Amino acid sequence: MKHLHQHHAMQEHEMQKHQHHNMQHDKHEHNHDQPVEDAEIKSWKRKLIWSWILTVPIALLMLSERIIGMSIIPMPYSVFLILILGFPVVFIFGFSTIRGGLQGLYTFYFNMDSLIALGTVIAYLTGIFSFTGAVLDYSGVSAMIMAFFTTGKYIEAKARGRASQEIKKLLELGAKKARIIRGNKEIEISIDEIKMGDLMMVKPGEKIPTDGVVVNGESSIDESMVTGESLPVEKLKGSNVIGATINQDGILYIKATKIGKDTFLSHIIELVEEAQGTKIPIQKLADKITSIFVPTILLVAILTFFGWWFFSSELSIALGTAIAVLVIACPCALGLATPTALMVGSGMGAKRGILIRKGEAIQTMKEIKIIVFDKTGTITKGKPEVTDIYSKIKENYVLEIAASLEKLSEHPVARAIVQRAGLKKYKPVKNFKVIRGRGVEGAIGKNQVVIGNRTLMKERKISLNDFEKKVEQFEKQGKTTMIVVENKKIIGIIAVADAVKEDSVKAIGLLRANKYRVVMITGDNETTAKAIAEKVGITEVIANVLPEDKAKKVEELQKQAMVAFVGDGINDAPALKQSNVGIAMGSGTDIAIEAGDLVLAKSSLIGVVQAIKLSKATFRKIKQNLFWAFAYNVVAIPLAVAGFLHPVIAEIAMALSSITVVTNANLLRRERV
């Protein structure tokens, strides 16, 4: 620890010396995954190019024999040349495939590479043994097999790269530098040097370096790049801010609360990566089939070899037919069917703010019949807003008076009133006092102003008179009503409520139109709950539910059908875990996000509708891919066994089946989600 502090102290004293180093380190840090992804694509591209450079002359030599009946280069020199050109293709560029395949055979762990490895090695060895005159030369086939296989691997890597473009875009969002206050000095450091608790200063137009809480200043923040929210969000003292978002119009002093991999942005990237690496139930089934399929094909190839050898007495023909069986049966397409579709699907989801945290959610989501919503922060915005102003005088005057007084309060209701007023200049207030749990009071000029609830009015013996009915009306709607009094006379009332998100009505309407059963569950009282439910079109409400009982309610509903739960708070985590698919709001707590299978980064309920569509579209592609992969093998293997397919033709067919599956998976991008 001591060493760490010394290190940072040294960095502060030698800022100029380390500036270049920090820039380089920063660049590496923020593009962590991009070079890895690109390196894989570049590696396969390099292997592909060199494989074909060496394989094309081999193909020409083989074709010349078939078309004109004689080799361009006389025997045995042509075989020597094929063996020399083919060696790097098979044993250098295809080394990982050969090693993995042969190890699988040795350990009885059969995989897709097993058949390719066996087919290419046997084919290459025929070239060597052809000099004995015992077998025909198929060594050229080995190079062509590996060249096509490498092409398939490059396409797969490319598809994976395309699916990760959204991640790369997210990585690029982060700030590169931070301006921090240390020892009353303002210094500029790279992002990776920020420590927990550092005080950051962010000027208008600058990116917020990392997640934190505002300790001083007020501003509006553009959070669209992270949350998708188009309107700027007002930030005051105590507000949480997200790294990579843009400060717009005021200087903010922010205390760093999360750094490195703990930030919101890093968490989103992690979630997408998790989803792309997970296996869904149908993929596990495909893997199980492959583990049985490969040894079966090995047995078929052995029987084919001995069958042809017995009936034809031609070792070369028997060997060539067996090689064709091994090659044609390679289940590459089967292995690619699910991951490619899942990668494309998760990439499409990320682009729309739907982060698939657990891959199995893709398969489960399409089976959902009941969707349960938490209220606060899920259906509603999770923060109070002024909904109504009622007065018998000018509303602007009532709002101006109220905002000038509430400006001095930190209460969420007070903030809502101040935000609604949006004044550039407030009236000066004297003798300001907070009356805890009831309201505030103070003097504006010669007038004594009191703002509070019914209880405060009773205490001050202020009669509601004509305002009584309006107060009751607002309260029935589940709104908090603040009564504004000037010199012991009511001048107006301001109703504040947790406003419904703009798109909640649309999203719930779409779900109900598609025959989904929609339920709202909340800890709020029944009056408030039903008022909100009515606004958004929900008829089934479960109110007064304790946090620990939410999961039990979900469990009860699961006895009737598959349930998806949508929530955002710590209290929602058990219900998110209990449900068949847990959908967490991106604006929610870390615990809720961890408990969710899907995360809606935009915190919009339209994301639920999109997630269902994406699930159905992705799974449809997976089923199509698996069908084509199986259909190809059902047709091709008997043809190979019957001797109708030359090993080269078999390899071309195998490569085309893999390309078909990858292409079909990428067609998912055309789906309207």
Side-chain angles (χ1 to χ4, degrees):
M1 202 64 193
K2 187 182 174 185
H3 175 75
L4 189 67
H5 287 304
Q6 286 173 344
H7 177 67
H8 281 292
M10 196 169 76
Q11 284 177 324
E12 284 176 32
H13 288 296
E14 300 180 11
M15 283 299 293
Q16 287 182 329
K17 185 179 173 182
H18 287 270
Q19 195 171 14
H20 178 72
H21 167 77
N22 289 337
M23 281 174 71
Q24 292 297 326
H25 187 88
D26 184 56
K27 187 178 176 183
H28 172 76
E29 185 73 26
H30 285 273
N31 291 285
H32 180 261
D33 284 350
Q34 191 166 348
V36 174
E37 195 69 54
D38 288 348
E40 187 189 3
I41 295 169
K42 283 176 182 174
S43 173
W44 281 113
K45 190 178 180 179
R46 193 163 54 248
K47 288 175 183 177
L48 179 143
I49 291 167
W50 279 106
S51 292
W52 282 109
I53 286 171
L54 296 170
T55 303
V56 167
I58 294 172
L60 290 171
L61 283 169
M62 290 169 69
L63 284 169
S64 68
E65 284 183 25
R66 288 197 163 245
I67 296 167
I68 61 176
M70 60 175 285
S71 181
I72 301 169
I73 300 169
M75 293 279 287
Y77 303 109
S78 61
V79 179
F80 272 122
L81 184 61
I82 288 171
L83 287 170
I84 292 164
L85 291 172
F87 185 85
V89 179
V90 176
F91 297 105
I92 297 175
F93 307 135
F95 176 74
S96 58
T97 305
I98 299 291
R99 184 183 61 183
L102 295 180
Q103 277 179 349
L105 291 170
Y106 178 72
T107 57
F108 290 96
Y109 178 75
F110 301 107
N111 56 32
M112 287 175 289
D113 293 348
S114 304
L115 300 178
I116 286 291
L118 205 58
T120 49
V121 171
I122 292 171
Y124 189 85
L125 291 174
T126 60
I128 297 170
F129 288 106
S130 68
F131 294 109
T132 64
V135 293
L136 289 175
D137 171 35
Y138 288 109
S139 57
V141 172
S142 67
M144 292 193 74
I145 290 171
M146 196 54 74
F148 275 112
F149 186 76
T150 304
T151 305
K153 283 288 186 182
Y154 170 70
I155 292 166
E156 186 188 343
K158 197 81 172 164
R160 196 157 51 242
R162 280 189 70 186
S164 301
Q165 278 176 3
E166 287 79 15
I167 297 175
K168 293 173 186 178
K169 285 171 187 172
L170 287 169
L171 281 162
E172 288 163 7
L173 292 179
K176 304 291 182 281
K177 294 282 178 183
R179 191 182 290 103
I180 64 165
I181 312 294
R182 282 184 189 165
N184 295 323
K185 283 186 180 179
E186 182 190 313
I187 60 169
E188 196 174 87
I189 62 171
S190 67
I191 295 297
D192 58 296
E193 286 183 70
I194 296 174
K195 295 187 286 187
M196 289 283 283
D198 268 344
L199 184 64
M200 304 176 289
M201 183 178 81
V202 185
K203 294 179 179 178
E206 291 181 341
K207 284 184 181 179
I208 292 168
T210 193
D211 297 5
V213 62
V214 177
V215 295
N216 200 4
E218 292 179 12
S219 185
S220 54
I221 303 286
D222 178 4
E223 295 185 342
S224 60
M225 57 177 60
V226 175
T227 65
E229 187 63 51
S230 56
L231 293 171
V233 182
E234 295 298 320
K235 301 290 180 182
L236 310 164
K237 187 181 175 182
S239 298
N240 291 315
V241 291
I242 302 167
T245 57
I246 299 170
N247 182 25
Q248 291 200 318
D249 48 31
I251 294 176
L252 290 175
Y253 290 88
I254 300 162
K255 181 183 174 184
T257 55
K258 289 179 183 178
I259 56 174
K261 291 187 176 180
D262 295 327
T263 62
F264 181 80
L265 189 64
S266 296
H267 200 58
I268 284 177
I269 292 160
E270 193 183 325
L271 294 178
V272 179
E273 287 175 330
E274 271 180 33
Q276 292 186 346
T278 55
K279 287 187 176 180
I280 66 175
I282 198 165
Q283 171 64 17
K284 290 172 185 173
L285 177 66
D287 289 348
K288 195 174 179 179
I289 291 167
T290 302
S291 68
I292 299 164
F293 178 78
V294 173
T296 305
I297 291 301
L298 287 174
L299 183 63
V300 170
I302 291 165
L303 292 172
T304 301
F305 170 75
F306 283 110
W308 274 92
W309 195 12
F310 180 78
F311 287 108
S312 70
S313 302
E314 291 282 343
L315 181 61
S316 289
I317 294 171
L319 204 57
T321 310
I323 292 169
V325 171
L326 289 172
V327 173
I328 199 77
C330 177
C332 299
L334 189 63
L336 292 171
T338 301
T340 50
L342 189 59
M343 276 187 273
V344 174
S346 61
M348 284 175 69
K351 202 171 181 179
R352 289 157 178 79
I354 305 159
L355 308 169
I356 304 160
R357 191 167 176 273
K358 293 174 184 171
E360 57 262 32
I362 281 282
Q363 189 167 338
T364 312
M365 195 70 193
K366 66 180 182 56
E367 307 292 341
I368 295 296
K369 299 293 181 213
I370 303 170
I371 301 172
V372 181
F373 291 95
D374 168 53
K375 181 182 77 71
T376 308
T378 302
I379 292 173
T380 67
K381 292 179 180 179
K383 61 176 185 178
E385 286 184 359
V386 172
T387 56
D388 306 87
I389 301 166
Y390 178 75
S391 173
K392 293 188 179 173
I393 60 171
K394 284 184 178 179
E395 282 185 9
N396 287 348
Y397 179 77
V398 175
L399 199 57
E400 188 183 15
I401 293 290
S404 296
L405 205 64
E406 297 285 18
K407 181 80 169 65
L408 303 171
S409 171
E410 290 293 317
H411 195 278
V413 171
R415 286 182 192 171
I417 292 169
V418 171
Q419 195 171 358
R420 172 66 181 267
L423 302 176
K424 288 183 179 178
K425 196 176 178 184
Y426 296 87
K427 291 181 178 291
V429 177
K430 291 179 181 176
N431 306 323
F432 175 79
K433 187 183 175 186
V434 175
I435 308 156
R436 195 165 296 279
R438 297 187 296 283
V440 293
E441 66 177 340
I444 296 176
K446 293 179 180 179
N447 300 320
Q448 188 64 30
V449 181
V450 177
I451 305 170
N453 54 21
R454 277 177 180 267
T455 310
L456 186 59
M457 298 302 115
K458 266 187 187 177
E459 286 176 5
R460 298 296 169 92
K461 296 184 171 97
I462 298 165
S463 174
L464 296 179
N465 295 328
D466 300 342
F467 292 89
E468 180 80 47
K469 282 186 180 177
K470 209 70 183 171
V471 170
E472 283 178 5
Q473 185 190 325
F474 289 149
E475 285 177 350
K476 277 181 185 173
Q477 292 169 357
K479 296 171 181 177
T480 301
T481 308
M482 303 307 291
I483 302 155
V484 184
V485 177
E486 191 178 65
N487 300 325
K488 295 192 175 183
K489 186 184 174 185
I490 297 174
I491 59 171
I493 51 178
I494 299 172
V496 176
D498 185 5
V500 170
K501 290 177 182 175
E502 288 80 3
D503 51 12
S504 290
V505 178
K506 185 183 175 185
I508 288 160
L510 286 167
L511 290 170
R512 290 191 68 188
N514 285 290
K515 308 296 181 196
Y516 287 97
R517 182 179 163 194
V518 181
V519 181
M520 187 176 85
I521 190 165
T522 178
D524 273 1
N525 64 72
E526 204 155 327
T527 306
T528 304
K530 282 188 172 174
I532 295 293
E534 197 176 327
K535 277 186 182 177
V536 296
I538 295 176
T539 54
E540 198 172 342
V541 178
I542 306 170
N544 297 307
V545 180
L546 294 169
E548 58 269 28
D549 292 336
K550 280 188 179 181
K552 289 178 187 173
K553 294 290 180 185
V554 169
E555 195 176 359
E556 285 171 20
L557 289 166
Q558 281 175 310
K559 292 172 184 174
Q560 300 167 46
M562 298 268 276
V563 175
F565 182 88
V566 190
D568 75 317
I570 293 171
N571 62 331
D572 296 325
L576 286 162
K577 281 283 188 190
Q578 175 62 44
S579 62
N580 300 101
V581 179
I583 303 172
M585 308 302 279
S587 58
T589 61
D590 287 350
I591 292 172
I593 289 169
E594 283 295 326
D597 303 308
L598 301 177
V599 179
L600 305 180
K602 295 181 180 180
S603 296
S604 163
L605 294 191
I606 291 292
V608 176
V609 181
Q610 289 176 318
I612 292 169
K613 285 183 180 176
L614 185 66
S615 167
K616 288 179 176 178
T618 305
F619 201 74
R620 195 160 53 244
K621 281 294 171 201
I622 289 169
K623 285 200 294 187
Q624 285 173 9
N625 281 352
L626 289 171
F627 169 79
W628 286 115
F630 278 116
Y632 154 81
N633 280 316
V634 166
V635 173
I637 291 169
L639 290 173
V641 171
F644 292 123
L645 293 177
H646 188 273
V648 174
I649 305 299
E651 173 50 33
I652 293 169
M654 188 274 287
L656 286 173
S657 72
S658 298
I659 291 165
T660 302
V661 162
V662 172
T663 306
N664 189 46
N666 276 289
L667 288 174
L668 181 60
R669 298 176 196 277
R670 295 186 179 182
E671 297 272 349
R672 287 192 176 183
V673 174

